[in-house]
Amino acid sequence: MADGLQQWQRSASRGQWQGRGGAPQVGILSDTMIARGEQLASVALICVNAIGLVAGAVPRILPAAPAADIDAYLDGLDGLFVGGGQTNVHPSRYGQMADEARDGPFDEFRDEVALHLIPRALARGLPALFVCRGIQELNVAFGGTLAKEPDDLPEDKRHGTPGADNEDARYRLRQKLTLRRDGLLQEICGADTITVNSLHSFLIADLAPGLVAEAVAEDGSIEAVSVEGASTFALGTLFHPDYWASTDHTSARIISAFGDAVHQHATARETA
């Protein structure tokens, strides 16, 4: 099995980020969480390392604070990464009633920031990668909807997090996807099908206008999208390429393609 979080934790030889002054900057949107009664901004280190070591950019954490100045967040960035999280988009954001027990937990601070941040970043032409909760936010920001998969599906038919005793097993590559012919993801991966992880219980219901399905699972559900007419890299995946970015071919190709677009944006910005 490719090295994931367990191997990252055990290894001291992963190298260091190569970013110095003038290096590309990628904004990573945080979650909010409460620990010991204190509200914190949090980001998974696995995606921070993927951006720093595989994409070759300097990660810049963007706290999901509802009073955030979105345009100030985006100033100076060369890319945006909106990753997964421990919460779901609140159904009221796409016009549905919420059931806390069924649909939660929620992070409405992140909802508020993400749904403003995403359209403005794309309008600026920033390369952007949206993973898991990130693609759900992208779909909602563009006017689409989400739906929770049934709770009683057997594990081999379920998109949600599988049972496991460690993180590498939870993120194991277990779901086969078919890629859109001549699409962005097919071009990046150099394949017609890929095998990915799957930890999302919410699926894309109505695909938003302006988004194009790039991959579907065996049950027909949309697993990846691109932004139609985008001037640069703009891809969303319900799976997590950041987790296996150091060793899995498909994951590395996606993160590296994002990194290439980020570096191109930085070069263009420097010469403008």
Side-chain angles (χ1 to χ4, degrees), residues 19-104:
R20 297 294 186 268
Q25 306 281 309
V26 170
I28 302 178
L29 182 61
S30 84
D31 295 319
T32 61
M33 62 176 290
I34 295 177
R36 296 183 180 180
E38 184 176 6
Q39 195 148 31
L40 307 175
S42 66
V43 171
L45 283 179
I46 201 75
C47 69
V48 171
N49 283 323
I51 296 303
L53 293 171
V54 181
V58 176
R60 243 176 65 185
I61 308 306
L62 309 178
D69 184 331
I70 300 299
D71 289 313
Y73 271 8
L74 295 173
D75 288 345
L77 291 184
D78 298 299
L80 176 67
F81 181 92
V82 184
Q86 302 298 315
T87 60
N88 300 313
V89 179
H90 199 282
S92 65
R93 299 287 180 169
Y94 45 95
Q96 297 183 12
M97 297 291 292
D99 181 328
E100 179 79 37
R102 182 195 66 201
D103 301 331

Side-chain angles (χ1 to χ4, degrees), residues 105-165:
F106 303 120
D107 182 348
E108 294 195 67
F109 283 179
R110 172 160 165 168
D111 291 346
E112 181 68 18
V113 175
L115 297 182
H116 287 88
L117 181 74
I118 290 169
R120 294 194 206 178
L122 294 172
R124 288 188 180 211
L126 283 178
L129 179 58
F130 308 92
V131 169
C132 200
R133 193 189 207 275
I135 187 181
Q136 296 170 5
E137 291 162 327
L138 171 66
N139 192 52
V140 171
F142 272 57
T145 64
L146 308 173
K148 193 173 189 295
E149 69 177 356
D151 294 327
D152 58 355
L153 291 175
E155 185 167 294
D156 63 343
K157 300 293 184 183
R158 194 170 68 226
H159 294 275
T161 304
D165 59 5

Side-chain angles (χ1 to χ4, degrees), residues 81-248:
F81 181 92
V82 184
Q86 302 298 315
T87 60
N88 300 313
V89 179
H90 199 282
S92 65
R93 299 287 180 169
Y94 45 95
Q96 297 183 12
M97 297 291 292
D99 181 328
E100 179 79 37
R102 182 195 66 201
D103 301 331
F106 303 120
D107 182 348
E108 294 195 67
F109 283 179
R110 172 160 165 168
D111 291 346
E112 181 68 18
V113 175
L115 297 182
H116 287 88
L117 181 74
I118 290 169
R120 294 194 206 178
L122 294 172
R124 288 188 180 211
L126 283 178
L129 179 58
F130 308 92
V131 169
C132 200
R133 193 189 207 275
I135 187 181
Q136 296 170 5
E137 291 162 327
L138 171 66
N139 192 52
V140 171
F142 272 57
T145 64
L146 308 173
K148 193 173 189 295
E149 69 177 356
D151 294 327
D152 58 355
L153 291 175
E155 185 167 294
D156 63 343
K157 300 293 184 183
R158 194 170 68 226
H159 294 275
T161 304
D165 59 5
N166 62 67
E167 288 299 278
D168 282 3
R170 287 203 317 130
Y171 281 86
R172 66 185 180 268
L173 305 177
R174 66 187 183 95
Q175 179 173 239
K176 182 179 178 180
L177 306 184
T178 299
L179 308 188
R180 181 171 72 92
R181 185 182 179 90
D182 298 324
L184 174 62
L185 195 52
Q186 186 190 60
E187 178 184 353
I188 290 170
C189 297
D192 297 327
T193 62
I194 57 176
T195 302
V196 301
N197 48 37
S198 187
L199 297 93
H200 57 277
S201 60
F202 273 84
L203 311 175
I204 292 176
D206 298 311
L207 183 62
L211 300 184
V212 177
E214 292 287 341
V216 294
E218 292 177 322
D219 63 4
S221 61
I222 296 171
E223 293 289 317
V225 303
S226 60
V227 178
E228 189 174 20
S231 60
T232 186
F233 186 102
L235 178 71
T237 68
L238 274 168
F239 57 94
H240 287 257
D242 48 327
Y243 195 88
W244 298 109
S246 66
T247 49
D248 172 60

